[in-house]
Amino acid sequence: MRLTHCIAGGLALLTVAMPVQAQVKVVGDWHGVLQSPVGSMTLILTIAEGENGGLRGEMESVDQGSQKVPLTTLTVNGGHLAFTVRPAQIAYEGEWVEAEEHWAGVFTQGRRTPLTFRRGLPAARPVIEGLDGVWEGAVTRNGVGLRLLLRVVTSERGTIVTFDSPDLGAFGLPVAGFSRRAQSVGFSVPASGARFAGTLSDDGARLSGIWTLPGQPDVDLALSRTRATVQREPRARPQTPRPPFPYRAEDVAFSNPAANGVILAGTLTLPEGTGPFPAAVLITGSGPQDRDETLLGHKPFAVLADHLTRNGVAVLRYDDRGVGRSTGEFAAATSADFATDAVAAVRFLLTRPEIDREAIGLVGHSEGGMVAPIAAADNDHVRFVILLAGPGTSLMQLAQTQQRLLGLSQGSSEEELARMEPVLAEVFAGVATSASAEDARARVRAVLTADALKTLKAPESMRELMVERLANDWFRYFLRYTPAAALSRIRVPVLAINGTLDRQVPADENLAAIGAALAHNPDVTIRKLDGLNHLFQTAGTGAIGEYADIAETMSTVVLGIVTEWIGVRFKGHATAVR
């Protein structure tokens, strides 16, 4: 249920830095080369004078073709430099080395990597003539078509190339060794070990060659230039709400005493009238999410909140801790910690006179459907729970099923999966039974031998990144969690919905497990909806690669079911579905 995030995350608020001591002239451009599992990436750090004598900064990942994004925090105290880019969960701390005139430190984004920042801009890359634009093609693996995109941009910094594999959920991967000699063109993608060698057509519109991937047979690949320039034009998202709204929207903030005073920032939407109104707290899925649960241009929670509020239900949605305007550290939290955030949200709603204290509920999507029962169990202030693609089976079972379904949708064969599954099962078991994060790391490293990585089709450069992702506290808690334990303690009405094309939380087995765990509860509604994926979009296959291509953000059928279900139970407040 977690998606991979690129270095260049979303925009963040800037905090004023402390003044720098005179001996280090920090204002200006700095650059460094980060040795990451996806390849070498050149980062540019730009520091400028801000208001009130402070500092502000921006960072750019050159090899990912990213735009500059502002630093969330920036402090320079004498010989110590520290900054964060909160939406991407990036942190850096370095010390000034006078003799070398550079900052030597550690870059953290899931894993800790040494990184030195040197003064000035990096040297320009070689210019490769005649290949700028977007090149698109596809390869077929076990009957599944996988799209490949090459983005080539030439500027004053030379030619920068990035690679996307949308159907594998990979975007902005650095490309190495991009070259052209007459009509011969070649490049590699370090993240996967893939290589391409081909020939440019006489009209410059087509690259035809061989695509080589370790452990796979070589295949023919034709890349056609579909656009002459690289412009990431926004896709149509017709359901995203646009003002003016027939309701009130208020920016709010509330604290979570259970998390050392973490401040959670969000939006409270209130229907027209004086109330009191029933209210829903929206809980995001896994990974750092903003209050709208923004993903690939979609804003599912903005769409859901808009629909509910237009129909008489107040909605509170908030940025995850450490995201957007919320404080705290996302990477250090588990699902149990996120449940305390949801409890704090309910507590905040109890202070609002517009809210019906007897009609506050939780709506959780994906991992949020795991967090909501934890927060609702034995909580007298929660009066209903809605699970949107929430897990019902053990999370160990879910993780294994998820890997199989995603693998099949991404072109893995049954034979390949049969070889992979024992390795993954051993990794998951090691993490679940570990005594600490360090113990989990040791267990995962012991399993991920060179042969095991080959079986998983992962380059050895990815080992440590996999160790960090698989052995952190969040995943340890995730694998140990059994949904029935919390669900069995819920006595309030529950609505559980899932789509038949969900490849991340399969509908049949999870809805059945939820129903069994709630057998004691007299008011349980379970709905399995045909043709909907994990995001509740009307889909073709349910594969992750479809998410961005579908214009629909959330099925109107789901919006109607959720709104009507609340309205039936709180008839005096919610209106008929519009």
Side-chain angles (χ1 to χ4, degrees), residues 30-52:
W30 302 81
H31 73 278
V33 178
L34 184 71
Q35 300 299 330
S36 81
V38 299
S40 297
M41 292 191 292
T42 299
L43 305 182
I44 296 177
L45 175 66
T46 301
I47 299 177
E49 294 181 357
E51 298 178 357
N52 304 319

Side-chain angles (χ1 to χ4, degrees), residues 130-444:
L131 295 175
D132 277 23
V134 178
W135 300 78
E136 299 184 24
V139 295
T140 300
R141 291 188 60 202
N142 299 302
V144 177
L146 302 176
R147 293 166 294 165
L148 308 177
L149 283 82
L150 195 69
R151 304 178 188 273
V152 185
V153 179
T154 300
S155 67
E156 67 278 2
R157 291 183 184 160
T159 299
I160 306 296
V161 188
T162 58
F163 176 83
D164 297 348
S165 181
D167 300 304
L168 297 179
F171 300 91
L173 298 178
V175 166
F178 189 73
S179 64
R180 176 183 178 182
R181 293 178 179 83
Q183 298 300 98
S184 296
V185 177
F187 63 87
S188 66
V189 184
S192 64
R195 295 182 178 275
F196 174 80
T199 303
L200 180 66
S201 62
D202 290 339
D203 62 2
R206 185 179 175 87
L207 284 167
S208 301
I210 301 297
W211 180 252
T212 301
L213 192 65
Q216 297 289 329
D218 292 352
V219 296
D220 294 331
L221 172 63
L223 294 168
S224 299
R225 179 153 36 189
T226 59
R227 279 178 282 164
T229 59
V230 176
Q231 294 178 333
R232 297 177 184 266
E233 298 178 359
R235 295 178 182 267
R237 302 292 184 243
Q239 287 179 291
T240 299
R242 312 288 181 194
F245 302 120
Y247 52 79
R248 292 170 286 162
E250 180 182 337
D251 286 337
V252 298
F254 52 94
S255 66
N256 179 0
N260 297 319
V262 161
I263 302 297
L264 298 161
T267 299
L268 175 63
T269 51
L270 296 162
E272 293 177 315
T274 57
F277 307 105
V281 174
L282 306 189
I283 308 172
T284 64
S286 51
Q289 300 277 346
D290 66 17
R291 66 192 71 185
D292 294 331
E293 205 183 33
T294 303
L295 176 68
L296 300 171
H298 290 289
K299 296 181 178 293
F301 276 9
V303 171
L304 178 57
D306 177 79
H307 193 273
L308 285 171
T309 311
R310 288 174 184 269
N311 289 281
V313 180
V315 177
L316 174 60
R317 62 192 198 272
Y318 54 92
D319 300 328
D320 288 347
R321 58 171 73 184
V323 176
R325 298 184 181 224
S326 292
T327 67
E329 185 179 354
F330 181 90
T334 68
S335 302
D337 298 319
F338 298 138
T340 68
D341 294 341
V343 170
V346 172
R347 190 180 299 114
F348 168 76
L349 289 178
L350 292 170
T351 70
R352 298 291 301 232
E354 308 97 329
I355 303 302
D356 184 346
R357 296 170 61 92
E358 303 301 317
I360 298 172
L362 304 176
V363 181
H365 173 234
S366 193
E367 185 192 352
M370 166 181 168
V371 171
I374 300 172
D378 307 318
N379 187 332
D380 292 338
H381 298 301
V382 175
R383 297 307 173 94
F384 66 87
V385 175
I386 298 177
L387 308 177
L388 301 177
T393 65
S394 76
L395 275 296
M396 178 81 79
Q397 177 183 341
L398 177 62
Q400 293 171 327
T401 303
Q402 187 181 94
Q403 291 296 322
R404 162 164 281 275
L405 290 176
L406 290 176
L408 289 172
S409 73
Q410 294 173 346
S412 295
S413 67
E414 289 285 355
E415 293 76 13
E416 290 172 325
L417 291 171
R419 290 193 296 270
M420 293 178 184
E421 285 169 350
V423 178
L424 291 172
E426 189 175 357
V427 168
F428 294 158
V431 172
T433 58
S434 62
S436 65
E438 190 54 46
D439 181 33
R441 292 186 190 97
R443 291 170 182 248
V444 173

Side-chain angles (χ1 to χ4, degrees), residues 477-512:
Y477 182 91
F478 179 87
L479 289 178
R480 293 173 174 178
Y481 180 73
T482 302
L487 290 169
S488 65
R489 304 206 309 274
I490 295 176
R491 300 291 186 270
V492 298
V494 176
L495 168 65
I497 308 177
N498 212 332
T500 58
L501 293 181
D502 192 329
R503 298 291 180 260
Q504 294 177 255
V505 182
D508 287 339
E509 59 196 66
N510 283 282
L511 289 179

Side-chain angles (χ1 to χ4, degrees), residues 18-27 55 75-80 103:
M18 298 179 65
V20 61
Q21 293 184 5
Q23 67 264 30
V24 182
K25 183 182 178 182
V26 71
V27 171
L55 297 170
T75 58
V76 184
N77 290 318
H80 184 78
W103 299 97

